[in-house]
Amino acid sequence: MGGGEEAAKRQRWMEEAFRMAKEALGNGEVPVGCLMVYNNTVLGQGRNEVNETKNATRHAEMVAVDQVLAWCRQNCKNPVEVFEQTVLYVTVEPCIMCAGALRLLKIPLVVYGCQNERFGGCGSVLNIAADDLLGTGTSFECIAGYRAEEAVEMLKTFYKQENPNAPKSKARKKDSDES
Amino acid sequence: MKEHMPPSQEDEGSPAEPKCKRRRSSESCSWDILPVLSEEESQRITLLQAYAAPVLSKKETSRLVREVSAVHSLKSLQHLKRVRACKDRGSPHPLEMLLCLALAKEKGHVPSLSELLPEGQVNSCGLGQPFLVLVPSCPPLTRPQFQEASAHWPTSFHENKEVTKALTGQQFSREEKARMQRYMEQAIEVAQQGAERGNEAVGAVFVDPATEEVLAMGHDCRKSNNPLLHATMVCIDLVAHRQGGGAYNFDSYPSCSFVASVKGNSGTGAADLFDDAGSSVLPYICTGYDLYITREPCIMCAMALVHSRIQRVFYGTPSPDGALGTRYKIHTQKDLNHHFQVFRGILEEQCQQLREKWH
Ligand SMILES: [Zn+2]
Ligand SMILES: [Zn+2]
């Protein structure tokens, strides 16, 4: 298997996720980037699409999931089997909603950068990833902390710049105690 | 579920019950609406050990309160009254006074006045022998908690009238309940339509309570090969479609529908609410809306409702992994930036049957 090789691969996928997050930041979007990797192939990648779709649930992870589903349709693959062998690489800890979605899809492993202090579903606010929920898919494993400081810095930069879509007072208030 | 049951609404057969007087139809009375309260509101009160002493001479009371309070301020226990009247008429003293908290669990041994009150600071003349009492550790939030707390030691109570009304089943008028029933009936109908096409039998309806308008209705669409298209996610996206957005195509499910926004893409009332300084806040399009759903949402859907800034959720029947009362109470979760009200029990029996029929 070769743990070193595995780690190097992981590193490459995470670098790609960070590249996407930076791109999002450059375009005034929430700087979260993610990849869904199956058999060494990127089947889905996502960035936040809340504004375009006017749907507050269109987080990067949900967008990537739809791409994987589309790939499954095109390639006549069973999505259940594909997701069970897919790893998610994401710059920020998935929120509670996305963690719920990842459970329902039975994704086994999530590699992420920094904690999500506001909404995190892998330990920060709740631990949906690990909780005992028999009717909600399966729990999943997390590897956290890859370039965490950089991911936090990007989020901070984003929340400091004008974000017309955040309810103002709350976004600011929370921001200041996130240091 | 640990909600307090409304005390009087349960016994419908009682002739003294005026609730069903005007309507003979048993249907309109066959469900009760229960608020799903936060952990703090629904739990029983916890008690602490404290020392109190009888006030032997009533006219010393105010001086004693002043002096004892200066030594033992009970800062974290502001809800406790310092002095209580002794209701027991046979009691030789009319009042009892709270002195301080007991530090460790004391068994039997109760310190003397001079051990509890430093001589130089309190003139304990007028107080009798200290004794151990149990006092509520937190301020009561609901009337049932207040009643329980007061039985131990008198507490102040800043009553939340809305919660009290909800707990006694008086929060909603007959007309409102009739409307709620209609919305839930629509949710049940759309659930059936979805189930007939192989989906889980779950239906949901978004309502703008300000206009009483049904904005969107949808059912579970997992059969469309997307395991995440639970009824709530479908409905949130239909509301987005209503605003000219949306991420999914529901053409193959005609029962999943929305009412086009009259004012076009951006002018709905809900969006306007936040529209100070002329900025657009369109992603939060569920602001001010109510969701009626046949069964309690899962964790993904419950958090999707937080992100969408829902105002209230009404569900029929609980779910084993439900996140609005059963396993989590996302709507009251500390640290999250949006909270909302949740009620359960609307047409509970019918919603439960829905699940059994299509399982
Ligand atoms: Zn998310
Ligand atoms: Zn759900």
Side-chain angles (χ1 to χ4, degrees), chain A residues 28-30 50-52 158-159 162-168 171, chain B residues 274 279-284 309:
Chain A
E29 302 279 352
V30 186
V50 166
N51 295 333
E52 296 98 294
F158 174 76
Y159 285 113
E162 205 50 56
N163 174 17
N165 292 306
K168 287 160 189 128
Chain B
F274 266 89
S279 60
S280 149
V281 280
L282 283 170
Y284 305 118
R309 305 285 200 274

Side-chain angles (χ1 to χ4, degrees), chain A residues 96 99-100 103-104 120-142, chain B residues 299 321-323 326-330 333:
Chain A
I96 291 168
R103 279 191 74 110
L104 291 166
C122 308
S124 292
V125 178
L126 288 172
N127 200 341
I128 304 305
D131 280 353
D132 192 20
L133 296 165
L134 291 175
T136 312
T138 55
S139 59
F140 58 86
E141 207 188 312
C142 293
Chain B
I299 186 73
D321 278 352
T326 301
R327 288 297 304 274
Y328 306 97
K329 291 180 172 179
I330 290 295
Q333 179 73 40

Side-chain angles (χ1 to χ4, degrees), chain A residues 18-38:
Chain A
F18 267 86
R19 200 191 53 71
M20 290 177 60
K22 265 189 211 132
E23 202 179 286
L25 185 63
N27 292 316
E29 302 279 352
V30 186
V32 178
C34 80
L35 303 179
M36 290 201 164
V37 178
Y38 167 78

Side-chain angles (χ1 to χ4, degrees), chain A residues 50-59 62 65-66 69 73 78-79 83 95-105 117-119 124-128 131-137 163-168 170 174, chain B residues 222 224-228 230 233 236-237 239-241 243-248 265 274 276-277 279-285 298-301 303-309 321 327-328 330 333-339:
Chain A
V50 166
N51 295 333
E52 296 98 294
T53 59
K54 299 178 166 64
N55 178 334
T57 72
R58 299 300 290 166
H59 290 185
M62 303 299 263
V65 164
D66 284 344
L69 287 169
R73 262 194 305 279
N78 180 352
F83 279 115
C95 77
I96 291 168
M97 172 188 76
C98 292
L102 297 168
R103 279 191 74 110
L104 291 166
L105 296 167
E117 300 291 343
R118 292 180 181 186
F119 304 120
S124 292
V125 178
L126 288 172
N127 200 341
I128 304 305
D131 280 353
D132 192 20
L133 296 165
L134 291 175
T136 312
N163 174 17
N165 292 306
K168 287 160 189 128
K170 275 172 187 165
K174 256 276 142 112
Chain B
R222 274 178 259 186
S224 65
N225 243 330
N226 185 337
L228 302 184
H230 293 190
M233 302 304 272
I236 287 174
D237 201 53
V239 173
H241 273 284
Q243 310 293 338
Y248 300 103
N265 282 358
F274 266 89
D276 49 353
S279 60
S280 149
V281 280
L282 283 170
Y284 305 118
I285 39 172
C298 74
I299 186 73
M300 170 184 73
C301 292
M303 191 59 193
L305 291 166
V306 173
H307 288 315
S308 305
R309 305 285 200 274
D321 278 352
R327 288 297 304 274
Y328 306 97
I330 290 295
Q333 179 73 40
K334 288 213 173 73
D335 309 328
L336 291 182
N337 61 348
H338 177 69
H339 297 138

